[in-house]
Amino acid sequence: MRGRRIGILGLARSGRAAAELALASGAEVFASDAGDSAAVREAAEAVRRAGGEAEVGGHSVDRLAGCDLLVVSPGIPPTAPVLQDPRVRAVPRIPELEFAFRHLRSAVIAVTGTNGKTTTTALVAHLLGTAGLDAPAAGNIGVALSEVAMKDPAPEWVVVEASSFQLGEVERFAPRIGVLTNLAPDHLDRYPSVEAYYADKARLFANATPECVWVLNGEQPEVVALAGTASGRRLYFRTGSEPPTGELGGYVAGGALVLRLEGGEVPLIGVEELPLLGEHNRANALAAALAAAAAGVAVEAIREGLRSFRAPSHRLEPIVERGGVLWIDDSKA
């Protein structure tokens, strides 16, 4: 990176972190954001204090065209006018997720899907933390992945919530463990078709190796098809059906969450013990438990973590019970 000129498009959380990572790596940085809010101005000032250049309120196309590489924040769609300019299009560009991964020294568990990403990501990080592992949640949740890449010492694992916006243009991003919660039509204000949206999700598997483990929703044919023939071991989770003979993964049986691993079937906890509301959260819990098991977490730590986890804010989050009425914050829905 030393001596290279890196352009940063977007100065939200991930763009600011990418700029600081590039500067820490010895690169020259020019950060640009079309916005001019107080938060954007503060981020631009932070980049300047760190030794970079930054502009707000518009994009200087000539300066961006003079960069060796552009790092694009996930909030900027490929159709943005600045990215359509021929001079800017001639510059190689990658998403912040890819840029951070190239500097990362931690093993990655990546979680994607249309719904359930945040809860599953937070739960995987909680299960690994319960086992005593340093495993922060990053990406769309917690901190930007570029921030994790600057940590010294590096965490053992990092659990990344990866949206389609972040995965769409990755080149080398290669999680050790990948989770695909589910698929449904979404973000059609940004994508021309459902197929294009799913294609960006499929980049999760782009750099699969035989050492990878893929945790997949076994009750959605679309999920299974998206993984296709990608190299690696597969674990499937189900909440409404029995797994076929020989399938490894997790399911619900006899009122309990159960894992079926190479060593046999392992009951975890009763569904009534799970402090998360809704059947969909049973699927999230099974997916997280399988990812944690694939990372080497002992079953007892998984049980303890499932019992002690609390719903992320605004996602079927119990607030208080008064007069026989349970008040739930589900405003994220």
Side-chain angles (χ1 to χ4, degrees):
M1 294 294 294
R2 190 163 301 280
R4 299 188 71 195
R5 187 156 181 81
I6 307 300
I8 307 291
L9 270 174
L11 273 170
R13 178 168 53 92
S14 62
R16 173 177 174 173
E20 292 171 345
L21 174 59
L23 288 165
S25 303
E28 300 175 16
V29 167
F30 174 66
S32 179
D33 196 303
D36 193 16
S37 66
V40 168
R41 290 194 298 273
E42 196 280 326
E45 188 54 40
V47 171
R48 296 185 190 108
R49 287 195 302 268
E53 299 178 85
E55 67 174 354
V56 299
H59 299 299
S60 297
V61 171
D62 288 340
R63 300 198 67 185
L64 292 170
C67 293
D68 300 308
L69 177 71
L70 295 179
V71 179
V72 184
S73 297
I76 300 177
T79 55
V82 64
L83 294 177
Q84 296 305 306
D85 187 285
R87 295 164 292 175
V88 174
R89 288 178 68 178
V91 181
R93 73 173 189 247
I94 56 176
E96 183 266 341
L97 184 74
E98 171 77 17
F99 183 70
F101 180 78
R102 294 182 183 185
H103 293 80
L104 201 62
R105 293 165 291 146
S106 309
V108 171
I109 300 174
V111 180
T112 195
T114 302
N115 298 301
K117 293 188 298 296
T118 297
T119 297
T120 304
T121 300
L123 184 47
V124 174
H126 179 75
L127 296 179
L128 269 63
T130 301
L133 297 171
D134 183 7
N140 274 0
I141 182 177
V143 300
L145 189 58
S146 290
E147 290 185 50
V148 179
M150 289 186 281
K151 287 182 177 291
D152 188 19
E156 297 163 86
W157 291 87
V158 57
V159 189
V160 180
E161 180 184 338
S163 71
S164 60
F165 301 167
Q166 294 167 307
L167 288 169
E169 294 185 328
V170 296
E171 297 173 358
R172 304 180 202 166
F173 182 70
R176 185 88 54 83
I177 301 167
V179 180
L180 181 51
T181 58
N182 50 61
L183 290 170
D186 201 4
H187 299 303
L188 296 182
D189 55 339
R190 174 156 169 163
Y191 290 98
S193 65
V194 170
E195 290 74 20
Y197 166 56
Y198 287 179
D200 276 2
K201 291 286 191 191
R203 297 297 297 167
L204 177 74
F205 309 99
N207 298 300
T209 68
E211 290 72 37
C212 292
V213 178
W214 306 112
V215 179
L216 307 171
N217 188 328
E219 295 175 324
Q220 271 208 313
E222 301 92 338
V223 167
V224 177
L226 204 71
T229 59
S231 294
R233 188 160 56 99
R234 284 158 172 71
L235 301 172
Y236 299 94
F237 59 91
R238 301 169 178 271
T239 59
S241 60
E242 288 286 329
T245 302
E247 179 182 281
L248 300 181
Y251 60 101
V252 178
L257 305 181
V258 179
L259 297 188
R260 181 192 284 172
L261 304 174
E262 291 177 354
E265 294 193 349
V266 181
L268 292 177
I269 63 173
V271 293
E272 74 282 353
E273 296 179 76
L274 185 67
L276 293 170
L277 302 175
E279 185 174 337
H280 65 287
N281 273 323
R282 298 176 191 174
N284 294 337
L286 285 169
L290 288 169
V297 175
V299 170
E300 194 49 51
I302 293 175
R303 290 191 184 109
E304 181 184 343
L306 289 174
R307 290 189 181 108
S308 61
F309 183 71
R310 294 296 176 264
S313 299
H314 317 303
R315 291 168 169 84
L316 282 178
E317 178 189 15
I319 301 300
V320 68
E321 186 168 356
R322 270 191 198 142
V325 177
L326 175 62
W327 292 87
I328 298 169
D329 177 0
D330 197 33
S331 56
K332 188 65 178 178

